Amino acid sequence: KLNGDFPSHFFIRGEIFMTLKNFKNLNKKRINNNLEPFSNPRNTASGTLKMQKSIEVGKRKLDCFLYYIIGENLPFSNHYENLQKAKEWGFKIPSEISLKNNIEGVVSFTKEWDLKRKELPFEIDGIVIKVNSLPEQKKMGFTSKFPRWAIAYKFKTEQVQTVMKSVSYQIGRTGAVTPVANLEPVN
């Protein structure tokens, strides 16, 4: 149920996810029922949305964040203030979003969240940097798939060590021999 002075017609977009706590609890139940645990919360949330039984989907305790509002009669001419207004209307907007006025602020924000992302109750692999001004967004437009006014900044992939169990060799169709390392599996 929405509150306040929201426009009569708008679209709001976001992402559905599963918290780490809910993922851990779900896997605990699966293991107790002799089922294979799921590998990660992101794929589990995605697979949950494809399920046919809504009762089962409801048991998975999915959550969402909304991060993009589109409409002709939005209260502000910028993205950030419209999201803050959507929060007042009752939508779940991430509290971690921040408005930066220069590239130094953006770089600082990305570095900060690269370190702090482990403290979040859900997984992230990066952040999205957006142009705040709606008129500027409109000028910049879209490619065939993506907005030109937003870019995904991906954090450096985590690295871990493992054991190389053996090396095998594959012979390709041209006769080239390629060594293949057989590694101990790790997440």
Side-chain angles (χ1 to χ4, degrees):
K1 184 173 180 177
L2 299 182
N3 312 303
D5 58 342
F6 52 89
S8 61
H9 185 77
F10 64 92
F11 295 94
I12 191 159
R13 296 179 181 164
E15 184 168 340
I16 295 173
F17 64 93
M18 181 177 281
T19 64
L20 294 169
K21 179 182 175 184
N22 288 342
F23 177 71
K24 184 178 176 182
N25 290 338
L26 177 63
N27 270 345
K28 196 179 292 185
K29 286 179 189 173
R30 289 183 64 80
I31 290 167
N32 289 341
N33 291 319
N34 296 318
L35 296 171
E36 192 74 25
F38 292 120
S39 61
N40 64 65
R42 188 176 202 151
N43 289 351
T44 304
S46 177
T48 298
L49 293 173
K50 296 174 185 168
M51 294 174 73
Q52 299 295 315
K53 296 180 181 176
S54 59
I55 292 173
E56 288 300 312
V57 174
K59 289 179 185 177
R60 295 275 177 98
K61 299 181 181 174
L62 298 176
D63 206 338
C64 77
F65 279 132
L66 301 159
Y67 53 73
Y68 181 43
I69 185 167
I70 310 162
E72 293 297 319
N73 298 310
L74 299 178
F76 300 101
S77 64
N78 68 74
H79 179 73
Y80 183 82
E81 285 181 299
N82 283 326
L83 284 179
Q84 298 311 307
K85 195 66 170 171
K87 187 184 277 188
E88 289 177 25
W89 298 335
F91 287 107
K92 190 167 184 183
I93 307 296
S95 59
E96 295 80 11
I97 66 172
S98 181
L99 185 60
K100 302 298 177 192
N101 294 320
N102 55 45
I103 193 64
E104 291 80 15
V106 172
V107 170
S108 174
F109 185 81
T110 58
K111 287 180 181 178
E112 174 189 354
W113 280 104
D114 192 14
L115 298 173
K116 289 173 58 175
R117 65 182 163 143
K118 295 282 188 201
E119 300 168 20
L120 293 169
F122 49 86
E123 291 183 337
I124 61 170
D125 61 356
I127 60 173
V128 177
I129 302 162
K130 301 177 186 177
V131 171
N132 189 39
S133 164
L134 298 184
E136 289 298 317
Q137 286 182 7
K138 193 170 187 170
K139 279 185 203 174
M140 295 174 87
F142 290 78
T143 66
S144 60
K145 289 186 176 183
F146 304 105
R148 287 189 175 102
W149 45 265
I151 188 166
Y153 174 86
K154 298 294 183 185
F155 297 127
K156 187 176 177 184
T157 320
E158 291 184 30
Q159 296 181 1
V160 294
Q161 291 185 347
T162 188
V163 175
M164 183 168 67
K165 298 184 338 186
S166 65
V167 176
S168 58
Y169 298 91
Q170 293 180 344
I171 300 176
R173 63 175 182 80
T174 62
V177 178
T178 305
V180 176
N182 300 298
L183 306 173
E184 191 71 40
V186 292
N187 285 333

